[in-house]
Amino acid sequence: MRFEALFHSGGAGLSLLLVPGWPLLAACLLLLVPREQRFAAIGSLSIFGLVLTLVLTPLLPGQDLLSIVTRLLVAAVPFLTRREGLSRIAAIVPLLATGCVLAALTLHGLLVVVSLLAFAVALLGLYDAAAAARARAAWNTARLRLSGAILSLLGASFGALPAMAGGAPVARAGDLLLVVGLCLLAGLGPPGNAAVTGRAAWLDMLPRIGALALMLRLPGSDVTHLVFLTAGVGTLWLCVVGRRGGPTLCAGLVTVCAVEVQIVPALLFMIVAMATAAERLEDAARRWLEAPVPPGPAFVGAMALLAGLGSVYPVWAMLFLAASGCQIAQLHVDRAAARRGMRDVVVLGVIGVGLTAPFFLRGSWPLAWHPS
């Protein structure tokens, strides 16, 4: 018994080091790899890191469904963003940002988690802004994210003050700054003028997933619920009116899930966001996967979200239902595109997730920890 406890304790400590640390180790190894071998090296190191994350996750303390799935989604980003002919900096930055977000998903301290997310946002923002082709658009996005990081850091810092000074108003102000900052970190708001897919979209998902996972773990309050409902449903309507979707739409839906801490619907929307970022998908297939129509996971998530909202916030549930109806009405049936989509492995995988999702809704998935 003592040996098993010692093994579990040692395994947990090693896992805490290796799970967030493998991207940093991979980045150091890439510095030694020649340019012509970099693509193969990134693929091998990314697959090794993803398998390592999958194997060591059960040994980490305080595991639940939210931490397991989000950690695997983040660990897959370096493999998805690999490209031929990348420069050394372009190959290393996704690994460094992945390491920061993995550490944020693993650690439990609120201020530490927000600081790691802010560092990941700064890394990605500086890298995107350095690209002359999209420097202006990238800087506009990075500016909002960095503003969110600053507000989140201020809110997390204020949260520690009442324990020392006994000031409840400071705590409420800190909660407001924190949730508003997290909404900016998650990229809520009007969608961009141009649809972003592929490498840029997957890199954009790193801070989104980290911020959204933290939202789902925050203790509920009237201020928190009001901000999440306003930002989430507002973002959904902006996407519907602008006929845009993508990660911004899914982030708005996950934010609404955070009101009632609906873990399974939130994870379904995150999976949809990751899948629809693929460059290989046609626009018709992408819009169909994002819409709440069966048998996709967005349909299962939307129905579960509507059922949770309807009993507590009926007005917000009606607004959500109306936006979802408008989103479905905007779909155009293209039989040729539908036939091509049904032969795509991404579409088939997302449909498989949607078919199995109702079985997960039947279970109870409590959170194992909340940020301290």
Side-chain angles (χ1 to χ4, degrees):
M1 192 73 176
R2 184 178 178 184
F3 175 76
E4 292 180 357
L6 184 63
F7 173 77
H8 182 76
S9 176
L14 185 62
S15 301
L16 284 172
L17 178 64
L18 291 179
V19 170
W22 72 259
L24 307 180
L25 178 61
C28 294
L29 292 176
L30 282 179
L31 294 174
L32 308 175
V33 176
R35 187 185 184 94
E36 58 273 10
Q37 300 177 8
R38 198 169 292 151
F39 178 76
I42 295 174
S44 302
L45 292 171
S46 301
I47 292 176
F48 173 77
L50 183 59
V51 173
L52 187 70
T53 303
L54 180 63
V55 172
L56 294 182
T57 289
L59 298 177
L60 291 170
Q63 291 308 294
D64 49 38
L65 184 65
L66 176 62
S67 61
I68 292 172
V69 176
T70 52
R71 194 177 290 116
L72 291 177
L73 291 176
V74 170
V77 168
F79 180 79
L80 296 173
T81 55
R82 75 196 194 284
R83 296 291 186 273
E84 290 277 7
L86 288 177
S87 65
R88 185 176 283 108
I89 297 298
I92 288 175
V93 166
L95 289 166
L96 297 178
T98 299
C100 292
V101 179
L102 282 176
L105 294 173
T106 303
L107 302 177
H108 298 174
L110 179 59
L111 187 57
V112 175
V113 170
V114 174
S115 301
L116 288 167
L117 292 178
F119 187 65
V121 167
L123 275 175
L124 295 174
L126 291 174
Y127 167 69
D128 285 340
R134 53 188 301 266
R136 185 177 181 83
W139 172 243
N140 290 333
T141 302
R143 183 173 54 187
L144 289 176
R145 293 287 178 81
L146 290 173
S147 300
I150 293 172
L151 290 176
S152 299
L153 286 170
L154 287 174
S157 302
F158 285 174
L161 292 179
M164 299 180 291
V170 177
R172 288 194 292 270
D175 291 342
L176 180 60
L177 289 174
L178 177 62
V179 295
V180 172
L182 288 177
C183 289
L184 292 176
L185 273 176
L188 299 185
N193 295 326
V196 178
T197 58
R199 178 180 169 87
W202 279 316
L203 290 177
D204 183 65
M205 283 299 298
L206 288 174
R208 285 185 193 268
I209 292 176
L212 293 170
L214 183 56
M215 286 181 185
L216 290 162
R217 294 190 184 276
L218 291 178
S221 67
D222 293 339
V223 173
T224 301
H225 291 171
L226 179 61
V227 173
F228 284 167
L229 285 170
T230 305
V233 177
T235 298
L236 176 60
W237 271 104
L238 288 172
C239 291
V240 170
V241 172
R243 293 180 177 268
R244 296 288 183 185
T248 302
L249 171 67
C250 296
L253 294 171
V254 176
T255 303
V256 180
C257 292
V259 176
E260 292 296 311
V261 196
Q262 295 178 289
I263 302 301
V264 174
L267 293 175
L268 292 176
F269 293 130
M270 290 186 195
I271 292 172
V272 170
M274 290 289 291
T276 54
E279 293 172 306
R280 59 192 295 173
L281 287 181
E282 296 184 21
D283 186 62
R286 185 176 293 107
R287 293 176 67 87
W288 180 79
L289 290 178
E290 293 170 349
V293 293
F299 171 76
V300 181
M303 293 301 100
L305 180 55
L306 183 63
L309 280 181
S311 58
V312 185
Y313 302 100
V315 175
W316 290 101
M318 292 299 296
L319 290 173
F320 170 75
L321 182 61
S324 299
C326 293
Q327 188 183 3
I328 295 173
Q330 292 175 357
L331 291 177
H332 299 285
V333 179
D334 187 342
R335 296 184 181 276
R339 285 194 295 268
R340 290 193 297 270
M342 290 305 296
R343 294 193 293 268
D344 193 284
V345 65
V346 175
V347 176
L348 293 177
V350 174
I351 291 176
V353 172
L355 293 175
T356 57
F359 297 99
F360 288 90
L361 288 173
R362 298 177 59 185
S364 177
W365 308 99
L367 295 175
W369 58 274
H370 294 276
S372 55

